[in-house]
């Protein structure tokens, strides 16, 4: 179910790039709601440790895959809606399809079509804090996320192939919406081989692992939250403080 070496080599360039919505808030006025270019994303990552939302990361990853000679294209659900989520399908040398989702901070891409390597059971090592199971149908595929406590959630993705123009247009719509602050990051803690999932949302933060959910203590100021976010996301502290100023703080 693992992607071939050439796809993984590109994917690994993003191992330390988190997903967030605070970057688009920081640059909201400067970019006049438009989608950032790949060159801008690289500059902002190098300067501030900033990643971006799912559209940013899909556009950036698509450019890197294409540069490496790998065919890829965008897919998603609710594509031009406020609930939109985007990911990519990257094609192997034999045309087999691999689902690549940096927006949800997958550990690595996964095969989504049946062949002699397809495994129907639950798998570890693809998504932080959960096992996954892929079910492929004619026009869509389902991904089940299975937690150790028995909780199961599911996403369904149409196999609709969107164009690069669709991707940019949907990205523009997403960039124009400033909603609640959200940050997600794959994390490998010292002393363990497991990749976990750290998340900040609605002024709460927690970390998911195969052993369960660790809810972190709540904080009492934006500056304290900025410090925690900067530490876990690998972002510049002053950048995070400025970005959080765009969001209403919920007093606890």
């Amino acid at each position: 179910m693992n992607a071939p070496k050439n796809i993984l080599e590109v994917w690994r360039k993003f191992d330390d790039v988190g997903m967030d919505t605070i970057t688009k808030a920081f640059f909201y006025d400067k970019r006049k709601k438009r989608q950032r270019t790949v060159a801008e994303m690289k500059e902002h990552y190098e300067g501030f440790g900033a990643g971006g939302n799912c559209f940013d990361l899909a556009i950036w990853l698509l450019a890197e895959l294409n540069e490496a000679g790998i065919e890829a294209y965008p897919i998603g659900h609710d594509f031009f809606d406020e609930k939109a989520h985007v990911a990519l399908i990257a094609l192997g040398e034999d045309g087999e399809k691999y689902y690549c989702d940096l927006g949800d901070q997958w550990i690595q891409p996964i095969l989504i079509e049946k062949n002699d390597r397809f495994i129907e059971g639950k798998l570890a090592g693809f998504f932080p804090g959960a096992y996954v199971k892929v079910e492929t149908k004619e026009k869509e595929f389902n991904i089940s996320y299975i937690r150790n406590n028995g909780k199961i959630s599911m996403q369904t993705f149409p196999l609709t192939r969107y164009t690069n123009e669709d991707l940019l247009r949907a990205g523009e719509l997403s960039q124009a919406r400033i909603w609640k602050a959200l940050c997600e990051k794959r994390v490998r803690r010292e002393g363990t081989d497991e990749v976990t999932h750290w998340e900040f949302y609605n002024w709460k933060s927690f970390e998911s692992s195969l052993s369960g959910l660790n809810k972190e203590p709540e904080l009492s100021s934006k500056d304290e939250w900025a410090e925690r976010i900067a530490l876990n996301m690998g972002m510049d502290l002053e950048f995070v403080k400025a970005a959080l100023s765009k969001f209403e703080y919920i007093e606890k």
Side-chain angles (χ1 to χ4, degrees):
M1 299 288 278
N2 291 22
K5 182 180 178 181
N6 62 337
I7 294 176
L8 283 174
E9 284 178 347
V10 176
W11 178 267
R12 293 302 175 209
K13 294 181 179 181
F14 294 85
D15 275 351
D16 201 39
V17 180
M19 192 288 299
D20 72 87
T21 63
I22 67 174
T23 294
K24 70 177 179 180
F26 181 90
F27 291 107
Y28 187 78
D29 297 325
K30 296 180 182 179
R31 58 181 168 76
K32 299 179 180 178
K33 303 180 184 179
R34 68 172 173 81
Q35 172 63 52
R36 290 183 298 156
T37 66
V38 172
E40 286 174 324
M41 285 184 256
K42 290 181 177 180
E43 178 185 340
H44 298 157
Y45 176 70
E46 291 171 3
F48 308 108
N53 72 352
C54 63
F55 282 94
D56 289 318
L57 300 181
I59 290 168
W60 187 358
L61 176 60
L62 180 60
E64 294 286 350
L65 288 167
N66 290 166
E67 187 177 329
I70 299 166
E71 183 180 353
Y73 57 87
I75 63 165
H77 59 72
D78 304 297
F79 211 66
F80 299 104
D81 187 76
E82 62 183 14
K83 297 178 181 178
H85 182 70
V86 65
L88 300 179
I89 296 295
L91 302 183
E93 291 183 358
D94 297 326
E96 67 274 19
K97 299 181 179 71
Y98 295 91
Y99 176 68
C100 306
D101 190 347
L102 286 173
D104 277 346
Q105 289 288 283
W106 278 63
I107 299 170
Q108 62 176 314
I110 192 168
L111 180 69
I112 61 159
E113 63 178 353
K114 292 185 178 180
N115 60 21
D116 57 358
R117 297 192 297 105
F118 188 87
I119 299 173
E120 295 187 353
K122 70 177 186 179
L123 301 162
F126 288 91
F127 189 83
Y131 300 93
V132 297
K133 181 179 179 181
V134 178
E135 180 186 12
T136 300
K137 301 179 181 180
E138 183 179 353
K139 295 183 179 180
E140 65 184 27
F141 65 96
N142 299 324
I143 297 174
S144 298
Y145 302 86
I146 305 161
R147 312 285 176 176
N148 266 343
N149 62 4
K151 180 181 177 181
I152 300 176
S153 57
M154 181 182 292
Q155 283 183 310
T156 298
F157 288 91
L159 284 166
T160 303
R161 178 173 180 154
Y162 288 101
T163 65
N164 290 359
E165 291 74 22
D166 289 331
L167 177 60
L168 289 173
R169 183 161 67 91
E172 294 277 359
L173 292 172
S174 177
Q175 297 299 338
R177 300 186 185 103
I178 302 298
W179 190 231
K180 294 179 179 178
L182 170 65
C183 299
E184 298 181 31
K185 184 76 177 288
R186 293 162 289 178
V187 179
R188 191 185 297 276
R189 300 297 185 191
E190 188 176 348
T192 176
D193 290 331
E194 183 184 353
V195 177
T196 61
H197 184 271
W198 184 85
E199 181 172 341
F200 162 82
Y201 180 65
N202 205 23
W203 307 104
K204 294 181 180 179
S205 63
F206 49 90
E207 190 167 338
S208 302
S209 68
L210 291 176
S211 60
L213 184 68
N214 175 35
K215 295 181 180 180
E216 297 179 330
E218 294 181 358
L219 302 174
S220 57
S221 71
K222 273 188 177 180
D223 283 351
E224 288 178 314
W225 278 115
E227 290 176 3
R228 181 177 289 178
I229 292 168
L231 177 64
N232 285 280
M233 295 292 291
M235 286 181 167
D236 177 78
L237 177 58
E238 296 306 315
F239 173 88
V240 177
K241 286 181 179 179
L244 287 185
S245 70
K246 307 290 185 179
F247 297 91
E248 181 182 358
Y249 177 60
I250 300 172
E251 295 287 347
K252 301 298 182 183

